[in-house]
DNA sequence: TGTACATCAGTGAACGCGCGTTCACTGATGTAC
DNA sequence: TGTACATCAGTGAACGCGCGTTCACTGATGTAC
């Protein structure tokens, strides 16, 4: 039988990526293409028509995840360009998100699985280096930046295998971190000016 | 040929675990038993004499890693039992360690790979829940505890794929976190007494 | 201290199956006239 | 608007190989007397 009724190749690609995301996140990278295919309601060969190999599929998935997080951070930016701490604040806001909005968590869980592929580790490392450059140019004194980013990463990443922190504590952490950025930037401005 | 010259079964087990740790950390969980065996200078069958299956070997490795971290934390405890923040301080000290002492980093990298196995995820989750219980009973106000533990986890875990923070920043983070614990505990004591 | 036997710590060849990849084929969609 | 052809999106069977696991066998160590 030929092509699937009525949908475009793009659509199918999307369905495959979503199926792969869910299956790999919950059952690991060792999950076979066949399982992914069945979940996407397509044949194994169909999956490989859209992605040249299993690794290519998983790498595409990893790229989507890192890009997704980046977009969320940028979407949180709400200060004029040039404001010190502008990006760092957005980074905190995008990382310290409620657990119910599970997108962030699921993304992290998926990336963790995908790190088993050397190519993904490379991709993620490059992405992290880019974040480091961007954040270092954001005008937040180093001591505060290191603390705040570590806390944001720790909150966003490790809940993976931890019982989630209560919502009140999450809001408090968010406020504390934003407060730290605020006062560190003010102090720096006072000292510099 | 029979047993290896002069060493005990325990010795061989150790050699296999070390070989597996290195190979899996750098090449992922998909690495074959044969590769592990060659690195341990033993046959494939020999590896499976000590561990009933590949999964059993990897699970043993994961158990060693979580136990190793726990021991390091306990080794950092330097205050009398009952002192508020006693364990939290030790947790910070064991997490915010220099990058040169690569043990902690390698451990984390290895655990990340091993998480691909469902059984390991279970183990690590149980371990994390235990940490949560123990830290919650440590007498540090929640807001501070959440912030400090997130920062410690974030520093310890994520450098995995990040360019390491300079040593001066690390010392500063460590001091800041310990200072936060100190003043939060003092405030709590003042308010409570 | 020597000898006989049991057990232990491994070897290495073979098995078999699951999985990634290939490929010939097909029905649906797009395009030219 | 219909027709002929090309391309596109997907099928499903087959292949083949890598890898985990099994197993018969072996030489070294431990133990009883």
């Amino acid at each position: 039988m030929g092509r699937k009724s009525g949908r475009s190749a793009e659509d199918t690609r999307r369905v495959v990526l979503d199926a792969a995301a869910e299956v790999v996140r919950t059952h690991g990278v060792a999950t076979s293409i066949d399982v992914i295919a069945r979940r996407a309601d397509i044949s194994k060969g169909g999956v490989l028509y859209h992605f040249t190999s299993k690794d290519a599929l998983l790498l595409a998935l990893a790229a989507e995840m890192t890009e997704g997080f980046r977009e969320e951070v940028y979407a949180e930016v709400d200060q004029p360009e040039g404001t010190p701490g502008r990006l760092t604040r957005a980074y905190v806001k995008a990382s310290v998100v409620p657990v119910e909005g599970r997108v962030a968590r699921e993304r992290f869980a998926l990336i963790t699985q995908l790190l088993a592929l050397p190519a993904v580790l490379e991709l993620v490392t490059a992405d992290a280096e880019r974040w480091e450059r961007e954040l270092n140019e954001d005008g937040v004194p180093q001591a505060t930046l290191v603390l705040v980013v570590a806390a944001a990463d720790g909150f966003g990443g490790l809940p993976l295998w931890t019982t989630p922190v209560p919502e009140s504590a999450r809001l408090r952490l968010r406020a504390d971190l934003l407060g730290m950025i605020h006062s560190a930037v003010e102090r720096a401005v006072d000292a510099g000016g």
Side-chain angles (χ1 to χ4, degrees), chain A residues 88 91-92 143-153 176-178 180-181:
Chain A
T88 311
Y91 190 90
V92 165
T144 303
L145 183 65
V146 168
L147 194 159
V148 160
V149 170
D153 286 346
D176 283 353
L177 294 179
L178 292 175
M180 281 180 192
I181 298 173

Side-chain angles (χ1 to χ4, degrees), chain A residues 87-159:
Chain A
L87 186 62
T88 311
R89 284 170 214 268
Y91 190 90
V92 165
K93 288 176 185 168
S95 298
V96 185
V97 288
V99 182
E100 295 81 72
R102 283 159 48 207
V103 190
R105 254 190 122 156
E106 292 184 350
R107 183 160 43 218
F108 198 89
L110 179 53
I111 284 278
T112 301
Q113 292 297 330
L114 293 174
L115 279 175
L117 282 81
V120 171
L121 182 56
E122 248 177 74
L123 178 94
V124 170
T125 303
D127 186 64
E129 278 166 8
R130 188 171 154 201
W131 276 118
E132 217 207 334
R133 278 199 306 280
E134 293 180 12
L135 289 169
N136 274 328
E137 287 170 2
D138 197 39
V140 178
Q142 192 188 40
T144 303
L145 183 65
V146 168
L147 194 159
V148 160
V149 170
D153 286 346
F155 182 89
L158 303 192

Side-chain angles (χ1 to χ4, degrees), chain A residues 2-21:
Chain A
R3 70 174 57 180
K4 287 275 176 180
S5 58
R7 74 178 173 205
S8 72
E10 238 81 326
D11 292 342
T12 304
R13 213 184 124 94
R14 190 85 299 264
V15 169
V16 171
L17 280 168
D18 290 345

